[in-house]
Amino acid sequence: MEAGEMIFRLPGRASSPGRFGETTVLRHKEVHHFFFVPFREQPIYSTRAHVFQIDPNTKKNWMPTSKHAVTVSYFYDSTRNVYRIISLDGSKAIINSTITPNMSFTKTSQKFGQWADSRANTVYGLGFSSEHHLAKFADKFAECKEAARLAKEKSLEKMELASSPSQESPADIHSPLTPPVTSDLCRVNGTGDDVTLSDVSPNSELQSDLSPTTQSLGHSPTTNKHWEAELAALKSNNAKLTAALLESTANVKQWKQQLAAYQEEAERLHKRVSELESQSNQANAIKLQKTELNQTIEELEAMLKAKEEEMERLREEIEDAKQLQSQKETLERKLEATGARSRELEEQLASVEHRLESSLEVQENFRKGLKAMLEILDGKIFELTELRDNLAKLIEES
């Protein structure tokens, strides 16, 4: 393979031109897998799980295909009635499994389940974060499996209804007048990975086969109905093959256009990879800056924690100071009340002393007056005594 060469694997069907599945791109000695989900496919359920695949050598050990939990989704193709399980790890498809009626999902533990894909020749395993997620995934697997079975049965019924009166499809009739359908023409249905077109139109081939048929019809009147049925089958087969080839030709043109678009996209991605490679030289510097920033952040967080502790201590001190201030104000109010009471008592004491002094003065004056009265009384008593003595003398003398 030359450098810069690209190979796109475009599986599809003639009935659905332009539908693509997995595309493999090889370029510049590198292999990149791009997984294009067709627009006709819609996601119906998604979850996250760790993806594993069985070891192809031992068939016993599990090999992880993802370093961490990735998204695992169910997709439904409404055109083909096909269900697929798809999981991407970046741009790489690590699971691309089409669900068939023969598949079965097995729970091997409370958080792990597995299923075998015969087309991919491998066994997939999923590790979930909880038993609930595993149960939901298993239920959805059972629903898709049942839907795939019903779709297959309907497809078989449609094929039986579309078959000829002889219960054989025109492609299965191998009479002397029916040309065998080659593998190249069968690939028009899109069952293979490649589409091979014949340069020879089927009209010329079938016309050469129809000529002896027309001659034989003239020589054998007794087998007229049989040959008419064969002729009708050939015409039907011819029409179907012509339509398939025309549709395949249209598909090829559309695929070429899409191939050119994918080449442009691959070139753009290659330029983007080159830019990213040029930017990768700055990764070490960015890592160092990140390490320094982390250290600075840790230091700032430690300083912030110390400041917060100091602030908490200051808050406690402020609360204590507030309590002391409250106590001080209470004591001041009590002291003021005590001072007022003391002044009131002093005033009362002064008033009592004043009253006491007045009372003492009154008592002193009273004592002095009483003494004076006693003196006067003593004088009066003395005078009365003298008067009595005088009266007694007078009485005696008379």
Side-chain angles (χ1 to χ4, degrees), residues 13 123 172 184 237 289 313 329 332 335 381 383:
R13 295 194 306 170
V123 179
D172 295 334
D184 291 340
N237 193 19
Q289 292 179 359
R313 184 178 57 81
E329 292 176 355
E332 287 179 352
L335 182 60
I381 291 172
E383 289 178 356

Side-chain angles (χ1 to χ4, degrees), residues 208-398:
S208 62
D209 291 335
L210 291 175
S211 298
T213 304
T214 307
Q215 296 175 2
S216 63
L217 287 174
H219 295 291
S220 303
T222 57
T223 59
N224 190 17
K225 293 182 180 180
H226 175 71
W227 297 128
E228 286 179 356
E230 293 288 342
L231 181 60
L234 286 174
K235 288 181 178 180
S236 176
N237 193 19
N238 180 27
K240 289 180 180 180
L241 291 175
T242 303
L245 287 174
L246 292 176
E247 193 171 3
S248 299
T249 303
N251 290 345
V252 169
K253 292 180 180 179
Q254 189 171 3
W255 290 343
K256 287 181 179 179
Q257 294 176 357
Q258 293 186 353
L259 178 61
Y262 290 145
Q263 288 175 345
E264 294 178 358
E265 180 69 13
E267 185 64 24
R268 186 185 66 81
L269 292 174
H270 177 64
K271 291 180 180 179
R272 179 60 179 167
V273 169
S274 300
E275 293 176 359
L276 293 175
E277 289 176 352
S278 63
Q279 294 176 0
S280 63
N281 296 328
Q282 302 176 357
N284 294 330
I286 293 174
K287 288 181 179 178
L288 292 175
Q289 292 179 359
K290 183 179 179 181
T291 304
E292 293 177 356
L293 289 175
N294 290 333
Q295 293 177 354
T296 305
I297 289 171
E298 290 177 356
E299 293 176 356
L300 292 175
E301 287 179 350
M303 292 175 61
L304 180 61
K305 187 176 180 180
K307 293 294 183 182
E308 288 178 351
E309 292 177 353
E310 186 176 358
M311 288 177 63
E312 187 65 25
R313 184 178 57 81
L314 290 175
R315 288 194 191 99
E316 293 177 355
E317 291 180 356
I318 290 171
E319 290 295 329
D320 295 339
K322 288 181 179 179
Q323 292 179 359
L324 293 174
Q325 183 68 23
S326 176
Q327 293 177 1
K328 179 183 177 183
E329 292 176 355
T330 303
L331 292 174
E332 287 179 352
R333 288 194 297 270
K334 290 182 179 180
L335 182 60
E336 289 177 358
T338 304
R341 180 64 176 168
S342 177
R343 287 192 298 271
E344 184 180 356
L345 291 174
E346 287 177 355
E347 292 176 356
Q348 291 178 0
L349 181 60
S351 176
V352 169
E353 288 178 352
H354 180 68
R355 289 198 301 270
L356 181 60
E357 289 177 357
S358 299
S359 178
L360 290 174
E361 186 177 355
V362 170
Q363 287 179 1
E364 184 66 24
N365 292 332
F366 179 74
R367 189 178 62 78
K368 289 178 179 181
L370 184 60
K371 186 177 180 181
M373 288 178 64
L374 288 174
E375 289 177 355
I376 293 171
L377 183 59
D378 287 340
K380 294 297 182 180
I381 291 172
F382 182 75
E383 289 178 356
L384 287 174
T385 303
E386 286 182 355
L387 180 59
R388 176 178 172 276
D389 290 337
N390 290 328
L391 286 175
K393 285 177 180 183
L394 290 175
I395 291 170
E396 287 176 359
E397 287 177 358
S398 59

Side-chain angles (χ1 to χ4, degrees), residues 93-135:
I94 55 178
I95 297 180
N96 180 15
S97 177
T98 301
I99 299 176
T100 62
N102 298 328
M103 286 185 179
S104 62
F105 185 81
T106 305
K107 299 179 183 178
T108 57
S109 66
Q110 293 182 351
K111 298 181 182 180
F112 192 86
Q114 66 183 44
W115 78 94
D117 190 343
S118 58
R119 296 184 179 180
N121 193 24
T122 187
V123 179
Y124 294 104
L126 297 179
F128 296 89
S129 59
S130 65
E131 187 176 358
H132 173 68
H133 290 86
L134 173 60

